[in-house]
Amino acid sequence: MSETIEPLIVVGVDGSNHSKEALRWAVAQAKAIGGRVHAVMSWQWNTNPFAVGTGTPDELVGAEETARRRLADTVASAVGTSPGVPVFRRVEQGSPAQVLVDASKEADLTVVGTRGYGGFKGALLGSVSQQVVQYAASTVVVVREGEDDDQDEDWD
């Protein structure tokens, strides 16, 4: 007798409104297909090559713990504490794009927002989203933030 495994949806979360919208979409999709969600946040130590010194083990633990708290807060504010499907929080060390591409290898679907906190604000697709679209091992959905939703009503 084979065990049925629920489809896995991986969603990139950085605390931005775009990532919250992506998380809400991923949870709704998981409800529709009987799936589960992994909300993934990455953290990195200072990547500036001119930074003096390296992080101590205590500083690294602090950076990871800060990311864990931020992810928990973001998930709670976006989908609440009982979203109706399993939502697991994952914090991984590394660049956001690489962490999500790696996570996509075990996913049935990867979800990202159009852009997060990095880069120049007018970009249509953020650099992380673009890299995930190009290199992910699973199908990728890019979710736009819902601020322009009223404009769609003009298409009648």
Side-chain angles (χ1 to χ4, degrees):
M1 184 166 157
S2 68
E3 185 178 320
T4 303
I5 298 178
E6 305 139 327
L8 173 60
I9 300 173
V10 167
V11 57
V13 177
D14 66 2
S16 69
N17 288 335
H18 293 271
S19 73
K20 288 178 184 178
E21 194 67 29
L23 180 57
R24 284 188 281 270
W25 189 94
V27 166
Q29 182 65 16
K31 285 179 185 176
I33 65 171
R36 59 199 161 104
V37 174
H38 283 194
V40 179
M41 179 177 279
S42 72
W43 69 276
Q44 287 183 284
W45 189 245
N46 188 352
T47 57
N48 180 351
F50 302 106
V52 178
T54 59
T56 65
D58 288 341
E59 290 172 323
L60 293 174
V61 169
E64 183 176 2
E65 184 56 35
T66 298
R68 286 189 190 289
R69 275 188 248 122
R70 186 174 183 188
L71 178 58
D73 292 345
T74 302
V75 169
S77 73
V79 296
T81 56
S82 298
V85 294
V87 177
F88 301 95
R89 299 184 309 252
R90 289 174 48 182
V91 173
E92 306 281 339
Q93 183 178 9
S95 73
Q98 189 60 55
V99 165
L100 289 171
V101 167
D102 290 346
S104 76
K105 294 174 185 171
E106 63 193 55
D108 296 289
L109 182 66
T110 303
V111 181
V112 292
T114 51
R115 59 184 181 269
Y117 282 125
F120 103 99
K121 217 160 158 85
L124 294 176
L125 190 64
S127 61
V128 172
S129 301
Q130 187 171 354
Q131 290 176 53
V132 172
V133 166
Q134 287 180 309
Y135 300 110
S138 67
T139 300
V140 178
V141 171
V142 180
V143 178
R144 290 181 45 205
E145 187 179 7
E147 63 193 10
D148 297 327
D149 286 347
D150 350 10
Q151 292 180 0
D152 293 343
E153 295 173 9
D154 295 338
W155 287 74
D156 292 331

